[in-house]
Amino acid sequence: MKVLVVGSGGREHALAWKLLQSNKVQQVTCVPGNGGTASMSRCQNLALSAQDFEGIGRFALVNGVSLIVVGPEVPLAAGITDYLRQQGLTVFGPTRLGAQLEASKVWAKALMQEAKIPTAQSVIFTQAEPALDYVRQHGVPIVVKADGLAAGKGVTVATTVEEAEAAITDAFNGKFGEAGYRLVLEEYLTGQEVSILALTDGITIRPLIPAQDHKRIGEGDTGANTGGMGAYAPAPIVTPELIERIQQEILDPAIATLSKRKIDYRGVLYAGLIITPDGDPRVIEFNCRFGDPETQVVLPLLDTPLHELLLACTQKRLADLPAIAWKPGAAACVVIAAAGYPDAYAKGKMITGIDQAESEGAVVFHAGTQRKSQTLVSDGGRVLGVTALGETLDAAIANAYTATQSIQFEGMYYRRDIGYQVQTARSAAG
Ligand code: AMP
Ligand code: GLY
C-alpha cells in the first residue's frame, strides 16, 4: 500500500519511519515532510502545504494512496478529514467537529462535564472585566487558557495575580486573535503529567504505552513552555491499575459521548493528564492527534505493524485486532533545539554527526531540518529528536545522551535532565 503523511515535524518523521518498517507499505509521501523524511528510502516529500487539501486530495487520487495519516491539529481543525473523505479517500484523523476536542477548550470542557470525566474545575469568560474580578477574588495559582488553537502558547500557569491579570488582558487585547476572546480559568492541579495517546475507531479505544513529555525549555521544568523538549516511555507512574482507571474513567466515556453527539472520531485521542498526589488521573487537555515528541518514543517500542492499527481505526474494526504488542524495554528522546527557541531563533545552520549518532544505535528524527543539495541545515525551533532504546529507562536515557553528543550545529541547545521524574520518583520511594 501507499501511504501519505501530512505534516513536517519529528512526529511525522517517526510515523513515516514506523510505517516503512512493514514491507506491506510500498511508499510513504510526506506533505511537506522535512530533511529526514527526504532521506529515507521508499519515502518522498511533496512540496505542498498541509493546508492545501485540494492538492493533497488530487495527489492521493492520482497516485493510488490507500491511507492518509494527518499529523498536526491545524489541518484537522480546518476539516482536512471531511474534505478528503468526500473525495473517497481513507483518512486517519478526526473530522473538523471531532478536532474541536483540541481546537476549543470550552467545547472540550463541556464534553468532559457531560461524560463525567475527572478534570480541573473551571469557569468560562467572554469578557475581560469579569475574568479579572474572578482572579482578584479567587487568588492564585490559577491557570488561564485561551479557548482556541494558539500554537502551544495559549496557557498561562499564573502564580501571581499580576501574571493572571496580564494573561487575561493580553488575550482580550487580541494576542491570540479569535482564539483568545473566550478564556477558561482553571483550578491549578499539582502532580506528574502523563500523555496517553489512544487509538480509536469511534467505537473502541485503546491506549498506547504511557509517555511523559518535558514542556518547559529549562532543566527542572523551568522557563517558557515549548512544543516539548524530550520524552520517555513507558512512564512508570502509570501502573496497570491506573491504565484501567484511565480507560474506564476517561477514554471510554470520551468516545461514548463523542458518539452520542454523532461525531465519527477515527484517529488519536491524546489525553494530557495530571496524576494527583493521591494517585487520581485528571484531564488537563485533550488533543486530537499524536503527541510530539511522545510519538518519537512510543512508536519505536510498538511491535504491531502501525499501518494495520491505523487502517483498522479507519475501517471501524479496532475491536477485531489482537492486543497491541510492545517491545520490551524503554525509549527516551532528547530534543535538540535552535538557540533562542521558543522565542526567535536562527535557521540555516549546518548540522553534522547524525550518521555517527545513528551508528551508536539511536534513531534521529528530524523536526526542523532541510536538505540543501548535499548538506543538512536547521529549519525550525525544534531541530532534531534523538531517540534511543534500552533495556531499562536509565539505559535508554543514557544511550540517547551518548548519541546526542555526536551531533553538532551552531547554537544547539538541549535539556540534560530528560527523565528526571523517574529518578525523583525512585528517590522518593527510597
Ligand atoms: P496545554 O497547552 O493545555 O498543554 O498546557 C500547557 C501546560 O500547562 C501543561 O502541560 C501543564 O504543565 C500546564 N497546565 C495546564 N492546565 C493545568 C492545570 N489545570 N493545572 C496545572 N497545570 C496545568
Ligand atoms: N508534546 C505535547 C503535544 O504534542 O501537544
Side-chain angles (χ1 to χ4, degrees):
M1 64 189 283
K2 291 183 183 170
V3 186
L4 186 146
V5 174
V6 178
S8 62
R11 163 183 55 207
E12 287 77 21
H13 187 183
L15 284 163
W17 170 86
K18 190 69 194 179
L19 286 162
L20 285 164
Q21 285 181 358
S22 164
N23 56 18
K24 301 248 170 60
V25 176
Q26 192 189 336
Q27 190 178 49
V28 175
T29 303
C30 294
V31 185
N34 60 37
T37 55
S39 321
M40 286 191 293
S41 62
R42 286 151 57 219
C43 193
Q44 63 177 7
N45 287 350
L46 177 63
L48 290 179
S49 148
Q51 295 298 118
D52 183 356
F53 303 169
E54 268 181 53
I56 293 171
R58 212 175 307 121
F59 175 90
L61 288 170
V62 170
N63 291 278
V65 167
S66 40
L67 172 66
I68 298 172
V69 185
V70 185
E73 64 279 13
V74 172
L76 289 167
I80 190 171
T81 300
D82 311 66
Y83 175 84
L84 295 173
R85 284 201 188 133
Q86 274 161 20
Q87 309 295 307
L89 292 158
T90 300
V91 187
F92 178 86
T95 57
R96 189 181 62 78
L97 270 181
Q100 292 287 50
L101 215 44
E102 176 166 0
S104 168
K105 297 205 190 277
V106 171
W107 195 92
K109 277 283 176 191
L111 182 124
M112 285 187 250
Q113 253 162 17
E114 187 184 337
K116 302 200 166 45
I117 291 173
T119 180
Q121 304 249 2
S122 63
V123 196
I124 294 158
F125 293 94
T126 53
Q127 286 179 317
E129 272 313 315
L132 292 168
D133 287 344
Y134 183 89
V135 163
R136 288 166 196 150
Q137 268 170 30
H138 283 76
V140 287
I142 196 164
V143 186
V144 181
K145 299 186 169 185
D147 175 46
L149 294 180
K153 302 215 162 80
V155 174
T156 304
V157 178
T159 51
T160 63
V161 170
E162 292 70 35
E163 238 182 305
E165 287 173 341
I168 292 166
T169 311
D170 285 352
F172 284 110
N173 281 341
K175 184 173 179 190
F176 307 113
E178 284 286 319
Y181 296 143
R182 277 203 299 187
L183 292 184
V184 177
L185 264 52
E186 196 172 273
E187 166 198 9
Y188 173 77
L189 297 174
T190 52
Q192 273 200 47
E193 283 187 52
V194 174
S195 306
I196 302 292
L197 280 50
L199 300 180
T200 179
D201 60 5
I203 305 160
T204 303
I205 181 157
R206 290 198 181 166
L208 302 178
I209 48 166
Q212 279 189 302
D213 183 14
H214 298 65
K215 291 230 166 105
R216 305 294 193 98
I217 188 73
E219 276 139 32
D221 289 336
T222 52
N225 254 323
T226 71
M229 292 302 294
Y232 66 88
I237 188 173
V238 187
T239 58
E241 296 74 46
L242 190 53
I243 275 285
E244 195 47 45
R245 283 189 63 191
I246 292 167
Q247 179 89 47
Q248 284 174 16
E249 296 173 23
I250 295 165
L251 302 178
D252 288 340
I255 289 304
T257 308
L258 285 166
S259 160
K260 206 163 104 194
R261 293 184 177 189
K262 304 262 177 304
I263 292 174
D264 179 11
Y265 199 107
R266 291 175 262 167
V268 172
L269 176 68
Y270 164 146
L273 308 179
I274 280 191
I275 312 300
T276 65
D278 291 337
D280 297 320
R282 299 258 185 285
V283 176
I284 52 168
E285 60 168 343
F286 278 133
N287 293 321
C288 63
R289 50 168 175 86
F290 283 101
D292 188 341
E294 291 93 326
T295 304
Q296 291 89 305
V297 290
V298 168
L299 293 186
L301 291 168
L302 177 68
D303 224 14
T304 306
L306 180 61
H307 71 281
E308 283 179 11
L309 289 169
L310 303 186
L311 267 184
C313 289
T314 65
Q315 296 164 350
K316 294 188 180 287
R317 49 176 184 79
L318 191 56
D320 301 341
L321 293 198
I324 300 173
W326 298 99
K327 297 182 203 299
C333 175
V334 176
V335 169
I336 309 183
Y341 175 78
D343 297 322
Y345 53 83
K347 293 185 183 179
K349 304 293 180 195
M350 191 171 80
I351 304 167
T352 59
I354 290 183
D355 289 348
Q356 173 69 25
E358 296 203 315
S359 73
E360 286 164 19
V363 191
V364 180
F365 293 118
H366 296 220
T369 71
Q370 207 189 351
R371 202 158 272 290
K372 277 201 171 150
S373 58
Q374 285 318 305
T375 45
L376 185 74
V377 296
S378 66
D379 194 38
R382 290 190 293 175
V383 178
L384 299 167
V386 181
T387 294
L389 301 182
E391 275 178 29
T392 62
L393 213 36
D394 287 337
I397 293 166
N399 293 341
Y401 277 112
T402 304
T404 299
Q405 281 160 19
S406 303
I407 293 174
Q408 286 195 330
F409 63 86
E410 189 189 318
M412 67 180 253
Y413 166 81
Y414 58 91
R415 273 179 66 166
R416 319 235 162 195
D417 66 342
I418 301 306
Y420 78 90
Q421 299 95 324
V422 181
Q423 270 94 12
T424 311
R426 199 180 294 137
S427 30

